[in-house]
Amino acid sequence: AGGTKGVSSGSQAEEKNINAQQTAADAKGRYIETQINTPEDFDGRGTIKRLDDGSLMLLDTKNGTISMSSDEGKTWDTQTLKQLVDVVNRGGAEITAEALAADGSIFFSYIIWGENQDKEKTYAERYVYIKPDETVQEFELGLEDYNASLTEAAFSPDGRLFAATNSCNVHEIHLKKQSAKQLFSVGAGEIALDANKESLIVTDGSKVYFYNLKTAELTDEDQVLNDYVKKQSDQKSRTFVCSAKNGADTKTLYVAGSGGIAGHAVGGSVMELLADGALNNLGDLRKVPNTMIHNEDGSFLILYTDGELDSYVYDAGASAVPAQQLTIYSLYDNETVRQAVSVFRKKNSDAFVRLEVGMSGDNGMTEKDAVNNLNTELLAGEGPDLILLDGMPMDSYKEKGMLLDLSDIAADLESGEEYFQGILKGYAQEDGIYALPFRYEIPLLAGETSVLSGITDLKTLADTAERLADQSDTEETVMGSYLPEELLEKLYVTCAGAWITKEGTIDKEALTEFFTQAKRIYNADQKNLDADERTFHSYLMEERKKQYSDEEFARTKRKISVWWQLARREEISAGFLSTMSDLMEVTSLNKQLGNNTYQLLAGQETDLFCPTGTVGVSANSKRQDLAVEFIKTLFSKNVQQQDLGDGFPVNAEAFEDYAANPYPATTSSGAGEDRDGNKVRTDYIWPDEQETAQLKELIQSLKNPANVDNTMKQEVLTIGAKALSGEKGVEQCVEEIAQKISIYLQE
């Protein structure tokens, strides 16, 4: 009915095969996304439900209202909900969870904040249940021994109420008895609840739990569903799983995640992609699903956390994929590009953009394999329209004529908005601009002002490290290098460009100088270290590694952290600044330490920035005009002003919005122990206007892109570690690296 697409448990087709079929030129049928009106001033705080009579009920916990629509959102009848608005207008109260039942019942919980006699902050959580006949129950439970509160709640089709807490426990709340029973615990991700006639369905971002409502037991895991949900949640902060037909169908589930809307037969072997996220809001990382409803006619409703409500209706006559198609290749996933894809799609509804990720994590490829595969396509005159050149052999592509000159695009961008000139044109050469950076990190050095003032290049950094290592108040390391690879990772970016001559050969003299000075710094770092300190550091790294993917872990390792100065484990902090939150940590801790400042980390090159997003256009592209339009979107203020954690904006007009405090009403702090076990605490204060202006001035001085070729870096880290540790001589390592890199550059 109504274009419903079936979900088969027997099909052996994988998601990628379905995608390939759907991109065929003659394929028809697609879910069309349409925005639905919502009540005035609704911002997403609340929930929506399809009632037994087919109408929609929307609860607004910001304004304290309930709205009804019998015409699919064309019109809404909004009324104040007295019990809710009383809480909203009460000082020191906070709504924590809400739920609507198909019979029109309403539930919400809230916290009342206060103080005890000792001026300590206290709170009590209360629960409000309103029946369709407007009978009201209000009560307290105290679900857990410590101060836990509800975060999510949901009714089952037969009116049972379930809730999850911020301590990751799931409870059933017995409304008549005004009591609760803890059922099970889940993981620490973003939790979402749904229920059908058979099961309570709980999603924590890594796993989907099925709690049988009749047997009161958790049923067997659905590994296919778990794997898919985990992949979605790696991209988006929340993934929502709902039952078919508003809970009436217990055998079919639908998932709203970063990849779009997918269907799944419970226990089946397939996830069927129904609505591709590349063609709708789900591909936008900022569009987080609050609630999803599957309707009787096979269509969907998704309420997003920002208040947007969209319908997804299957149109059998629509092209499965818009006629214009654009392909972007990236070695690793890129959040800014995904954001740009979403913005671009809304402006170009007749265009389809596909982001291909070489290192997706599920194809078993190494970086070298991924690069070789792309090279084969490009040499054959095929491949993507746009290439993210980070970690790629950019110079080789340019020399082989694989990239377009983007000089005119850069000029066109500048004619419309203001950009940081040095970064936008960082790759400018005499014959053109073949790559444009759109995100970047900043290599920094933080420490005492008197110490940093004497550091201007790699040699003076080594001189300073040796001097500090000899001082009695240096208790552990100078620059936090416990392993050779850790130091090389930080120094590589500010030096690697100096090792390649204009002719594209290796400058052995410059490479020898690098290892000579790096070895001096490493030896200074090791001078005051003992076995226990190395063991403690290894333990910290192993614990951190468990929390991140390999790529994320590498990013956290190179991030600058002045915290280790406060803990008295290093004297100078070196690393990369990639967000305003990073700057907040640096400036806050510098103030606490007293005489600290920060400056660019200087090496064998100066005025460097480290690109984390660089785009080029393939000379093979048959859609170059569309590719140019996408680049304009990528560099637009609308995209650049978003802090997505992957680097600073190149668009100078976007910088003010990017740098604004996203949570001005909140404060944050950190606590830990120093090297002697003493408690250490700091308050993080968002950078003020002067500190933000100082960063902007520093950004305006940057003009040289760092060498970010991953293959070359890996050779330097692997072989160079032996030079620093003394396992091999510097000259021997230089010869070995030069030989391998020369072969690589010639390929």
Side-chain angles (χ1 to χ4, degrees):
T4 304
K5 290 175 70 72
V7 179
S8 170
S9 61
S11 170
Q12 297 301 308
E14 297 181 353
E15 179 185 334
K16 63 182 181 181
N17 294 328
I18 294 170
N19 290 343
Q21 293 166 10
Q22 288 183 331
T23 56
D26 57 349
K28 296 291 184 181
R30 172 161 54 103
Y31 278 87
I32 304 299
E33 177 183 77
T34 305
Q35 186 169 348
I36 295 175
N37 291 328
T38 53
E40 186 177 355
D41 202 27
F42 177 64
D43 69 354
R45 281 178 277 182
T47 190
I48 193 169
K49 184 72 177 179
R50 174 81 67 185
L51 302 188
D52 290 331
D53 64 5
S55 63
L56 293 172
M57 174 184 277
L58 188 147
L59 182 68
D60 182 343
T61 59
K62 173 196 171 190
N63 297 303
T65 62
I66 195 79
S67 300
M68 303 295 300
S69 177
S70 58
D71 55 9
E72 295 301 300
K74 292 184 178 68
T75 60
W76 293 92
D77 178 20
T78 300
Q79 297 180 357
T80 296
L81 187 63
K82 182 180 183 306
Q83 295 79 11
L84 181 56
V85 80
D86 286 348
V87 174
V88 170
N89 293 333
R90 181 188 301 179
E94 176 186 344
I95 306 294
T96 54
E98 64 283 322
L100 299 173
D103 66 358
S105 297
I106 301 167
F107 170 83
F108 65 89
S109 57
Y110 68 95
I111 288 174
I112 304 173
W113 296 95
E115 289 185 351
N116 61 20
Q117 294 178 347
D118 298 324
K119 301 296 183 181
E120 295 174 333
K121 205 167 190 178
T122 64
Y123 73 85
E125 187 170 45
R126 299 186 62 81
Y127 308 92
V128 178
Y129 172 53
I130 306 172
K131 298 181 180 180
D133 63 5
E134 299 185 0
T135 302
V136 180
Q137 292 177 230
E138 186 164 359
F139 55 97
E140 293 183 18
L141 288 178
L143 288 183
E144 298 167 21
D145 293 337
Y146 47 92
N147 291 331
S149 63
L150 302 189
T151 57
E152 299 291 331
F155 283 99
S156 65
D158 61 358
R160 294 166 67 179
L161 179 64
F162 300 89
T165 67
N166 55 6
S167 52
C168 303
N169 294 315
V170 179
H171 299 258
E172 179 172 4
I173 298 176
H174 299 283
L175 295 166
K176 289 183 179 179
K177 298 178 182 179
Q178 296 187 3
S179 62
K181 178 183 178 181
Q182 182 172 321
L183 305 180
F184 57 95
S185 298
V186 298
E190 286 284 336
I191 299 173
L193 306 182
D194 194 64
N196 56 38
K197 292 181 178 180
E198 182 178 286
S199 301
L200 170 68
I201 304 162
V202 183
T203 310
D204 66 6
S206 297
K207 186 186 294 187
V208 181
Y209 304 79
F210 295 92
Y211 179 80
N212 190 291
L213 299 180
K214 294 181 180 179
T215 65
E217 294 177 339
L218 287 171
T219 58
D220 293 339
E221 293 184 12
D222 188 323
Q223 196 58 51
V224 172
L225 181 62
N226 286 346
D227 291 344
Y228 182 80
V229 165
K230 175 65 168 62
K231 184 177 179 180
Q232 301 300 297
S233 299
D234 285 344
Q235 292 294 328
K236 192 177 285 287
S237 62
R238 177 184 168 99
T239 300
F240 198 93
V241 178
C242 80
S243 293
K245 298 181 179 179
N246 205 23
D249 180 350
T250 63
K251 302 304 180 184
T252 307
L253 298 176
Y254 295 98
V255 182
S258 61
I261 299 174
H264 178 66
V266 177
S269 60
V270 175
M271 296 298 305
E272 183 177 6
L273 184 63
L274 303 179
D276 195 326
L279 299 174
N280 58 52
N281 272 331
L282 288 164
D284 183 342
L285 297 183
R286 295 179 303 168
K287 289 289 187 181
V288 179
N290 174 320
T291 306
M292 177 166 67
I293 297 171
H294 181 246
N295 300 312
E296 288 286 342
D297 65 358
S299 63
F300 298 89
L301 285 176
I302 296 181
L303 174 65
Y304 292 95
T305 56
D306 64 359
E308 183 170 336
L309 177 63
D310 292 330
S311 72
Y312 298 82
V313 178
Y314 188 73
D315 183 344
S319 297
V321 176
Q324 297 189 81
Q325 298 184 41
L326 194 68
T327 303
I328 306 170
Y329 181 91
S330 178
L331 195 58
Y332 289 96
D333 208 344
N334 187 286
E335 294 188 359
T336 296
V337 169
R338 286 192 177 275
Q339 180 62 37
V341 168
S342 178
V343 174
F344 183 80
R345 176 182 56 78
K346 289 183 177 180
K347 294 192 301 181
N348 301 271
S349 58
D350 61 340
F352 172 72
V353 182
R354 170 70 66 187
L355 175 61
E356 295 181 356
V357 180
M359 298 291 292
S360 62
D362 57 4
N363 55 15
M365 280 195 183
T366 64
E367 282 191 359
K368 187 174 182 180
D369 292 336
V371 172
N372 286 342
N373 286 349
L374 177 63
N375 292 348
T376 300
E377 290 186 9
L378 294 174
L379 288 170
E382 301 172 351
D385 301 291
L386 296 108
I387 307 170
L388 265 63
L389 296 163
D390 309 279
M392 309 293 283
M394 186 188 310
D395 291 339
S396 177
Y397 289 166
K398 185 255 181 183
E399 290 169 7
K400 290 180 171 65
M402 295 179 177
L403 299 176
L404 285 184
D405 182 1
L406 305 180
S407 300
D408 290 344
I409 299 176
D412 199 14
L413 288 173
E414 290 179 299
S415 68
E417 294 179 337
E418 180 185 351
Y419 290 85
F420 294 118
Q421 289 283 315
I423 296 173
L424 181 67
K425 297 183 177 179
Y427 287 106
Q429 299 175 352
E430 290 183 2
D431 60 346
I433 303 174
Y434 294 86
L436 295 174
F438 58 87
R439 291 288 196 203
Y440 55 94
E441 295 176 330
I442 305 170
L444 281 191
L445 204 59
E448 286 193 18
T449 303
S450 60
V451 172
L452 298 195
S453 62
I455 301 174
T456 57
D457 55 18
L458 186 61
K459 182 181 182 304
T460 52
L461 179 60
D463 293 341
T464 302
E466 288 181 338
R467 178 171 58 81
L468 291 176
D470 289 334
Q471 293 183 356
S472 59
D473 53 355
T474 298
E475 302 178 73
E476 198 157 316
T477 72
V478 176
M479 287 183 58
S481 306
Y482 296 80
L483 300 172
E485 294 86 353
E486 292 174 330
L487 179 61
L488 292 174
E489 178 87 36
K490 295 174 182 178
L491 299 181
Y492 174 89
V493 168
T494 62
C495 299
W499 311 331
I500 309 297
T501 67
K502 292 181 179 180
E503 293 74 29
T505 59
I506 300 298
D507 186 334
K508 294 182 183 179
E509 184 177 342
L511 190 56
T512 300
E513 173 67 7
F514 171 76
F515 282 116
T516 300
Q517 303 305 334
K519 185 175 176 63
R520 291 176 62 201
I521 297 170
Y522 181 69
N523 289 340
D525 263 336
Q526 301 300 301
K527 186 168 186 176
N528 298 297
L529 272 178
D530 60 34
D532 288 343
E533 290 159 350
R534 289 192 184 91
T535 300
F536 177 72
H537 175 78
S538 298
Y539 164 77
L540 287 180
M541 291 301 102
E542 286 300 319
E543 289 300 304
R544 187 182 294 179
K545 193 171 185 179
K546 294 176 184 177
Q547 302 173 28
Y548 302 100
S549 67
D550 290 345
E551 182 193 2
E552 291 170 333
F553 179 62
R555 183 181 295 180
T556 62
K557 280 204 305 181
R558 68 174 185 255
K559 172 184 171 182
I560 188 168
S561 179
V562 187
W563 174 265
W564 299 112
Q565 287 187 51
L566 198 64
R568 298 175 19 247
R569 294 188 178 277
E570 65 187 26
E571 300 300 306
I572 305 173
S573 300
F576 298 88
L577 197 73
S578 60
T579 68
M580 288 300 294
S581 294
D582 294 345
L583 180 65
M584 176 176 67
E585 179 181 325
V586 170
T587 54
S588 297
L589 287 165
N590 275 353
K591 288 175 185 175
Q592 186 168 347
L593 288 163
N595 299 316
N596 269 34
T597 188
Y598 71 81
Q599 66 184 41
L600 281 176
L601 173 60
Q604 289 173 288
E605 298 180 280
T606 58
D607 303 326
L608 279 173
F609 62 92
C610 181
T612 54
T614 306
V615 67
V617 176
S618 171
N620 299 330
S621 174
K622 298 175 177 59
R623 294 163 287 271
Q624 293 177 5
D625 290 344
L626 197 62
V628 168
E629 287 304 309
F630 181 82
I631 289 178
K632 290 179 180 178
T633 300
L634 185 60
F635 282 83
S636 68
K637 183 178 179 181
N638 191 16
V639 171
Q640 291 272 307
Q641 67 189 3
Q642 305 297 326
D643 187 348
L644 300 172
D646 59 352
F648 289 95
V650 181
N651 187 317
E653 292 184 23
F655 183 80
E656 183 176 350
D657 289 330
Y658 176 94
N661 188 349
Y663 308 109
T666 62
T667 58
S668 60
S669 61
E673 294 182 351
D674 67 11
R675 66 188 306 277
D676 295 326
N678 302 312
K679 299 293 182 183
V680 183
R681 184 181 184 280
T682 189
D683 291 320
Y684 294 120
I685 303 170
W686 195 260
D688 58 28
E689 289 185 12
Q690 181 178 349
E691 290 164 334
T692 301
Q694 179 185 356
L695 176 66
K696 186 174 182 179
E697 183 178 352
L698 185 149
I699 291 173
Q700 289 169 331
S701 72
L702 306 178
K703 58 185 178 182
N704 295 316
N707 184 310
V708 290
D709 188 314
N710 286 350
T711 301
M712 181 172 161
K713 183 175 76 171
Q714 195 55 51
E715 297 291 358
V716 171
L717 265 60
T718 302
I719 300 171
K722 297 176 182 178
L724 268 60
S725 66
E727 183 179 341
K728 290 184 177 180
V730 168
E731 292 76 11
Q732 182 182 358
C733 289
V734 167
E735 289 295 331
E736 191 174 339
I737 292 171
Q739 182 180 10
K740 291 199 172 188
I741 293 179
S742 295
I743 294 172
Y744 166 67
L745 292 175
Q746 292 169 12
E747 291 178 346

